[in-house]
């Protein structure tokens, strides 16, 4: 029974998150779009709340010795900066073209969106090609070969590097400072304080990340196939889809089962809110946009080492070097995607920025 602890925990965590996120309409791309286009930062701050909870809880596990950061996939000896940066931009652009991230696609599928079903199959195929398929040698031998070791040969963690260079114990100070800033941003937003569903979804996401680390690092024993991992929604989707098609036991995993849980939880929320509707593509133009976006999300998610949840919350909770690199890339890619969707072409955005720069110089 012990070998099923991690998969069952993943299923339960995913179900809770799918239910709460669906009810709160919390979406990472939607949060970025709200901030860029409407100046509304509430959903972005809800993700900030999730990060505060994830960071505080994960660092508590590290302080206690229950979690060793270097046993996770996010704190390697060297950081593949080129792969992470390029993958982040690709993922952000794909996310914009699809209209949501990998996690959001699972939530949409739970509500009956058949477009999300096509997106998930497509980005699973693209991700698997880079993860274990025909493009894996190119990823490993070419893109990931451009890697950087941290100063002093410390693991690729921001806090570990800071402590190694300074010779001081800085973890507690850094964690308290970051968590304090994030919580201040949340508490000071009166409109967000009046949105209990957003707050609940943010807290649940953060707790889900912490619980993932706890389950796979502590509760699962040596007979469990689970690695030390937490929430992410690119590689587990790929492994889950291909374990169904090809057989095997890849599905008996925390990550893969969390994917199934999210769909089930979102389905339950859609039924409870009377929002379950079968939806399909309006025309071939919309389908083409979603297919291109799905390929970019799948490939980019593997290259970046995670999605907006995997890098934005799980890696961030560890203070991984990959976290800011990936998230900056995702934001850049998303901004380019918004330019394509709203302004017609990314060249228009470049001309607009150039004109503004020239205007400042002239002024």
């Amino acid at each position: 029974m012990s070998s099923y602890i991690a998969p069952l925990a993943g299923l339960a965590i995913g179900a809770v998150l799918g239910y709460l996120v669906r009810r709160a309409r919390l979406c990472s791309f939607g949060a970025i779009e709200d901030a860029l286009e409407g100046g509304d930062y509430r959903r972005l701050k809800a993700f900030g709340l999730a990060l505060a909870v994830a960071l505080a809880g994960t660092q508590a596990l590290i302080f206690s010795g229950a979690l060793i950061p270097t046993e996770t996939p996010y704190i390697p000896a060297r950081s593949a900066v080129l792969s992470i940066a390029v993958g982040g931009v690709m993922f952000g652009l794909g996310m914009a073209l699809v209209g949501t991230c990998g996690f959001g696609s699972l939530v949409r599928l739970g509500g009956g969106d058949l477009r999300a079903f096509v997106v998930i199959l497509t980005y699973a195929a693209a991700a698997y090609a880079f993860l274990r398929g025909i493009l894996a040698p190119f990823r490993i031998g070419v893109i990931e070969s451009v890697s950087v070791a941290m100063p002093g040969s410390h693991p690729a963690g921001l806090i570990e590097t800071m402590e190694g260079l300074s010779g001081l114990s800085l973890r507690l100070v850094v964690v308290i400072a970051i968590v304090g800033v994030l919580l201040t941003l949340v508490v000071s937003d009166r409109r967000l304080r009046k949105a209990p569903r957003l707050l609940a979804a943010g807290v649940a996401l953060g707790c889900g990340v912490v619980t993932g680390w706890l389950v796979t690092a502590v509760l699962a024993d040596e007979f469990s196939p689970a690695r030390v991992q937490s929430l992410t929604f690119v590689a587990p989707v790929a492994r889950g889809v291909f374990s169904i098609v090809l057989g095997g036991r890849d599905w008996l995993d925390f990550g893969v089962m969390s994917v199934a849980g999210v769909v089930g939880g979102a389905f339950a929320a859609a039924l409870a809110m009377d929002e379950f509707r079968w939806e399909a593509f309006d025309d071939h133009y919309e389908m083409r946009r979603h297919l291109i976006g799905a390929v970019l999300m799948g490939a980019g998610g593997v290259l970046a080492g995670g999605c907006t949840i995997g890098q934005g919350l799980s890696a961030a909770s560890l203070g991984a070097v990959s976290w800011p690199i990936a998230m900056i890339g995702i934001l850049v890619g998303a901004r380019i995607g918004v330019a394509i969707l709203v302004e017609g072409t990314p060249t228009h955005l470049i001309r607009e920025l150039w004109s503004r720069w020239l205007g400042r110089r002239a002024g």
Side-chain angles (χ1 to χ4, degrees):
M1 180 64 187
S2 59
S3 63
Y4 294 95
I5 290 176
L8 290 175
L11 182 67
I13 292 168
V16 171
L17 293 180
Y19 185 86
L20 293 177
V21 168
R22 173 84 192 188
R23 288 183 65 87
R25 306 187 192 282
L26 183 59
C27 168
S28 53
F29 175 68
I32 295 171
E33 191 175 33
D34 285 351
L36 288 176
E37 300 298 316
D40 184 351
Y41 292 88
R42 282 179 299 168
R43 289 201 282 183
L44 209 55
K45 289 178 181 179
F47 278 104
L49 175 60
L51 176 55
V53 173
L55 183 63
T58 300
Q59 294 301 314
L61 293 178
I62 294 173
F63 271 117
S64 69
L67 175 64
I68 300 173
T70 52
E71 291 183 353
T72 73
Y74 297 111
I75 311 290
R78 299 176 65 89
S79 183
V81 290
L82 178 62
S83 177
I84 296 167
V86 171
V89 174
M90 291 173 63
F91 185 90
L93 175 56
M95 180 175 68
L97 295 178
V98 169
T100 189
C101 64
F103 178 64
S105 296
L106 296 171
V107 173
R108 285 185 176 183
L109 177 60
D113 194 330
L114 297 178
R115 296 168 299 185
F117 180 69
V118 174
V119 165
I120 289 167
L121 292 181
T122 304
Y123 89 69
Y128 203 84
F130 276 88
L131 190 67
R132 298 179 182 176
I134 191 172
L135 294 173
F138 173 74
R139 170 180 63 85
I140 297 169
V142 178
I143 303 180
E144 290 185 354
S145 65
V146 182
S147 61
V148 176
M150 295 298 100
S153 299
H154 297 287
L158 295 171
I159 299 176
E160 288 81 1
T161 301
M162 291 169 61
E163 289 183 331
L165 291 175
S166 66
L168 302 174
S169 181
L170 300 174
R171 186 177 297 275
L172 184 60
V173 175
V174 171
V175 171
I176 290 176
I178 296 175
V179 171
V181 169
L182 291 172
L183 291 180
T184 299
L185 291 173
V186 172
V187 173
S188 62
D189 192 322
R190 185 172 59 182
R191 293 178 65 203
L192 179 58
R193 293 201 308 268
K194 295 180 179 179
R197 290 184 179 180
L198 275 179
L199 294 173
V203 171
L205 275 171
C207 290
V209 170
V210 178
T211 308
W213 294 130
L214 177 65
V215 167
T216 61
V218 179
L219 300 182
D221 62 20
E222 66 272 16
F223 299 105
S224 172
R227 303 165 299 162
V228 178
Q229 59 182 305
S230 192
L231 298 175
T232 186
F233 294 98
V234 177
V237 174
R239 295 200 311 272
V241 169
F242 279 85
S243 68
I244 293 173
V245 174
L246 303 175
R249 292 173 60 85
D250 266 4
W251 62 271
L252 196 62
D253 172 82
F254 173 87
V256 174
M257 293 303 288
S258 70
V259 169
V262 168
V263 177
F267 173 69
L271 289 181
M273 300 169 70
D274 195 25
E275 290 183 351
F276 185 86
R277 302 287 187 277
W278 294 113
E279 297 182 66
F281 295 106
D282 292 333
D283 51 41
H284 66 281
Y285 297 108
E286 185 184 27
M287 184 173 185
R288 180 179 63 187
R289 173 167 57 82
H290 278 70
L291 290 176
I292 294 172
V295 170
L296 289 170
M297 276 207 304
V302 171
L303 293 176
C307 55
T308 50
I309 304 297
Q311 282 289 356
L313 293 180
S314 294
S317 72
L318 297 165
V321 169
S322 61
W323 159 47
I325 299 172
M327 292 312 297
I328 290 171
I330 288 173
L331 289 172
V332 170
R335 183 64 187 93
I336 294 171
V338 170
I340 293 174
L341 294 173
V342 177
E343 298 160 8
T345 169
T347 58
H348 180 84
L349 175 62
I350 295 172
R351 293 195 192 101
E352 181 181 342
L353 293 174
W354 178 254
S355 298
R356 290 178 184 175
W357 184 74
L358 290 177
R360 289 196 189 101
R361 291 195 63 186

